[in-house]
Amino acid sequence: MHIHRFERFWIGVSLVAIAIFIATVVIGFSVYDLRVIGAEKTVDPQNLQETKFADPGVRKAEPGSEVDYEVYVMSRQFMFNPGTAEPITVPTDAKIRFHITSPDVLHGFEVVGTNLNTMVIPGQVATFTTRFDTPKTYGLLCNEYCGAAHHVMEGRLKVVSKSQFNEKQLVQ
Amino acid sequence: MTFIDNYPKSAKIAKANFLVAFIALAIGGLFGLIQALHRTGWARNIISSAEYYTMLTGHGVLLALVFTTFFIAGLFVWGVTRSLDREPENMAFSWSWFWIMLIGTLMATVAILGGFVEGSSIRAAVLYTFYPPMQAHPLFYIGAALLIIGSWMAGADWFRSYLAWRKEHPDERIPLQTYMTLFTMLMWYVCTVGVALEVVVLLIPWSLGWVNQIDPLLPRTLFWYFGHAVVYFWLLPAYFVWYSILPKLSGGRLFSDSMARIVFIIFLILSTPVGYHHQYADPGITVGFKFYAMATTLLLLLPSLLTLFTVVASMEHGAKQRGGKGYFAWLGKLPWGEPAFAGCALAGIMFAAGGFSGIINAAMNINILVHNTIWVPGHFHLTVGTAVALTFMAISYWLVPQLTGRKLKNKTLALIQPYLWFLGMTLMSNAMHRGGLAGIPRRTAEPNYSQFDFEAVFGTISEIKWQIAIGGILLTVSLVFFLWVIFNSWFRGERADKPVDDFIPAALSGPEHAPKILDNIKLWVLLAIALVLIAYSVPLAEMVMDGLFSPGAPTIPV
Amino acid sequence: MDSNDKKAENESNSETSPSDEKIRELSLEEFNPHGTLALTLLYFVLLLVLWFFMYFVEFAGHGPSILS
Ligand code: HEM
Ligand SMILES: [Cu+2]
Ligand SMILES: [Cu+2]
């Protein structure tokens, strides 16, 4: 086969570029601990009343758990519960695990201006862990089309400093 | 003598396909303008925000599925006919696939447009990805299935021509244009299996009410099994143009025929097992498979980077033959005053930019930063919306005269058109990318919220908005120019024996340098199937094992 | 298929302006795509710079993020 020497060189350069991209992601994943969500568990979207999603909100994690708080969020047409009517309130400097699902259609769960962003799929539980360093109130929005009023599906996520966090508000 | 004189039957069917494509482009483009104005708040009174989603479904389906598929069919009819020097084996068969595709398109379009009629039960505001459990009218799914079935038959038609040609030319290499057509269609067969199963086995029975629940993840995964390869189904015909016609328009010759073949092989093999890269943010897919998809996706950069080199080298060859010199000065010797050339070249430049945002999308964890934000439409208006659509428009200035036997009219308008598209897309797309980094979502009629404001990372939110609105207006003006030039030439152009210079010179390094194994179709198809099985058999089996329709979500008609 | 006489016929009546005309014929051996190599290498550098900026400044530099 005839491949010009410049083109041979370019093939080499291209492969190097590809290797660099993949390596960066691997480094980001392992060194910077920047993860994506995986397969946790499935639920029956027509029977959520038997799960913790029946009583959504922020809970103290079970003793011995690797995280400090668990947040259960129900996304439905066209609100987050909690999130829309009242903000999701979590403390700084704690490991927080979110669990999000939907009883109706696909939704998105995006914390605006952060790298917290996931699909919400009926039948699946989106689970991810994060921590917040500084107190701040973030916007929350649905970024997957979910019906005629999709554009009003929004809310807030309020991060308060650890000392001001009121554990009495937690779901028991 | 030009194409229509040598192959009148092929010219007729190619023209029919182009006609449907251009009508879809006109309607879809108008919808695009209204969306841009609605989203930015420049004009929220043309449609209601609930109707926005009906319109967005129309925009996605008419442009990404209908315009592309029909244009590609017309282009491939032209390419296969001229490169094999034979018309289709059986015209009745050829017209039957055209009509099946058209009927399917009309059914889906009626279902979508029904959403604008108050109280209509025929609706399909499910967007062009139609994720259940949102449910459209059955017409929508049946129409989509017919469009795909028709495209399968079109592919069969080209294989038939090839086999008939092969009988008469047992030892010749497959001519490049036919080669590219066949490999594109093979990839299309491999990937459309997913969406065909989704639509026929799951969605049609469900939309007819034979089952009353649906597992949302399984059809979504089947959709994306198809959904990435479909972007290569749009792109490879643009590559077909860049490899086989653009060198000639530049005044040169294709630099390397073997490289073109290798590139198409890589696309056939790698296009499908990457679908999970649209599901990085999905629960229910393991990180391991997401990683596998990322590695294969990034490997797919290789054929595009090879294309970049070969195509630019072919243009450089043209420029140097026209007296160009130096490292960069030769660029000035390219025929920037010819609409067909200028459009293809500008499309290529935009594709290079789209390539960058595509790498961000492809790279698993950083994808989360932009997932489902307006960054994503910013990206694919560079790729399918410009690299593909502008190449198709530009090459029409060269193809339509051959298909009609009439000269191009309004040359100045035709020349302004690609530059205007480029300008409009520069505005709209850069602003969409930056809007996405600020977190502004895609597919949202009114991205203004009562509980918070967006903060732009680069620029300001109001400047991003006006760039999107002005960009959309310029794009629409460009589109009007295109349609005017094409239809004016088509119906009122001056008849000529040779309306364009349609001679395509041989490649510099031709098929005689390409190893025979490149033409071994069976080998490459088997390899493609093997990689698909590795990527999909385990996850799909897991999703199916707990029941085809469970975990079942209730149906939500929209 | 394309033949040489077709080509000759073509060149005689194609409607190109004088400045567009081919002034020399470059064969495979004579042609080295220096300009292409320069352009593609520039693109390579641009891609990497933008990539590192996006990844480490825009993405990794701005939390909070999904952690293990
Ligand atoms: C006049 C030119 C165009 C304008 C003004 C335009 C405008 C837009 C806008 C503003 C959106 C975003 C809507 C949203 O996410 O809320 C969009 C989405 C889209 N556009 Fe375009 N567009 C144009 C041309 C094209 C072309 C030529 C193609 C493809 C061939 C295309 C394909 C798409 C697709 C596939 C979507 C996504 C639909 C979805 O999210 O369901 N557009 N367009
Ligand atoms: Cu939504
Ligand atoms: Cu993709």
Side-chain angles (χ1 to χ4, degrees), chain B residues 202-272:
Chain B
L202 303 174
L203 301 189
I204 292 180
W206 167 71
S207 71
L208 290 170
W210 300 345
V211 284
N212 50 19
Q213 63 169 32
I214 189 114
D215 167 8
L217 186 61
L218 175 61
R220 179 174 161 84
T221 305
L222 287 171
F223 182 86
W224 287 116
Y225 168 102
F226 149 84
H228 188 76
V230 72
V231 313
Y232 291 120
F233 177 66
W234 306 328
L235 186 65
L236 293 187
Y239 281 13
F240 169 107
V241 170
W242 297 353
Y243 276 114
S244 74
I245 309 175
L246 186 56
K248 179 252 152 49
L249 297 179
S250 323
R253 291 158 64 182
L254 173 60
F255 187 52
S256 166
D257 171 287
S258 347
M259 212 38 99
R261 288 176 204 249
I262 291 173
V263 162
F264 275 69
I265 291 175
I266 304 179
F267 278 117
L268 166 63
I269 297 173
L270 290 183
S271 288
T272 306

Side-chain angles (χ1 to χ4, degrees), chain B residues 32 35 39 52 56 59 63 128 380-381 432 442-444:
Chain B
Q35 282 158 213
R39 277 193 66 106
Y52 180 89
L56 186 55
H59 182 74
L63 291 174
Y128 81 119
F380 61 63
H381 281 91
M432 283 178 160
R442 66 184 286 201
R443 297 182 153 181
T444 300

Side-chain angles (χ1 to χ4, degrees), chain B residues 25 28-37 39 52-53 56-57 59-61 63-64 67-68 127-129 234 374 377 380-381 384-386 388-389 393 421 425 428 432 441-445 468 471-473 475-476 479:
Chain B
L25 180 62
L30 175 69
F31 286 3
L33 174 66
I34 298 173
Q35 282 158 213
L37 299 179
R39 277 193 66 106
Y52 180 89
Y53 302 104
L56 186 55
T57 309
H59 182 74
V61 169
L63 291 174
F67 161 63
T68 50
L127 307 188
Y128 81 119
T129 44
W234 306 328
I374 190 83
F380 61 63
H381 281 91
V384 65
T386 299
V388 174
M393 289 190 259
W421 188 276
M425 199 53 91
M428 185 169 98
M432 283 178 160
R442 66 184 286 201
R443 297 182 153 181
T444 300
I468 293 179
I473 292 171
L475 286 165
T476 312
L479 190 57

Side-chain angles (χ1 to χ4, degrees), chain B residues 52-83:
Chain B
Y52 180 89
Y53 302 104
T54 288
M55 187 163 272
L56 186 55
T57 309
H59 182 74
V61 169
L62 286 174
L63 291 174
L65 303 176
V66 177
F67 161 63
T68 50
T69 306
F70 278 91
F71 190 91
I72 291 165
L75 179 70
F76 282 172
V77 167
W78 172 83
V80 169
T81 301
R82 75 164 285 289
S83 66

Side-chain angles (χ1 to χ4, degrees), chain A residues 80-136:
Chain A
F80 297 104
N81 181 16
T84 301
E86 82 276 18
I88 301 171
T89 308
V90 293
T92 56
D93 303 313
K95 259 196 150 176
I96 298 166
R97 186 183 285 154
F98 285 81
H99 307 263
I100 312 161
T101 197
S102 156
D104 45 40
V105 296
L106 266 59
H107 298 279
F109 180 92
E110 173 186 327
V111 184
V112 178
T114 73
N115 301 326
L116 304 177
N117 187 356
T118 180
M119 292 294 300
V120 183
I121 302 180
Q124 310 290 328
V125 182
T127 304
F128 64 85
T129 308
T130 189
R131 67 185 302 133
F132 300 91
D133 297 330
T134 44
K136 182 170 175 183

Side-chain angles (χ1 to χ4, degrees), chain B residues 82-83 308-309 312-313 316-317 320-324 327-328 330 352 356 363 365-366 457 498 501 503-504, chain C residues 1-2 7 10 20 22-26 31 33-36 39-40 43 50-51 53-55 58-59:
Chain B
R82 75 164 285 289
S83 66
L308 172 73
F309 192 96
V312 175
E316 183 179 357
H317 180 253
K320 296 237 159 120
Q321 292 203 131
R322 295 152 65 99
Y327 282 99
F328 301 109
W330 58 272
F356 168 70
N365 42 16
I366 192 174
V457 191
K498 194 131 200 80
D501 172 10
F503 168 74
I504 296 181
Chain C
M1 288 241 67
D2 312 312
K7 182 175 173 182
N10 240 297
D20 287 348
K22 210 182 273 181
I23 58 171
R24 60 182 163 191
E25 196 63 63
L26 272 178
F31 174 58
H34 284 106
T36 302
L39 280 176
T40 49
Y43 181 60
L50 283 170
W51 164 257
F53 173 74
M54 283 295 294
Y55 201 92
E58 273 310 301
F59 173 55

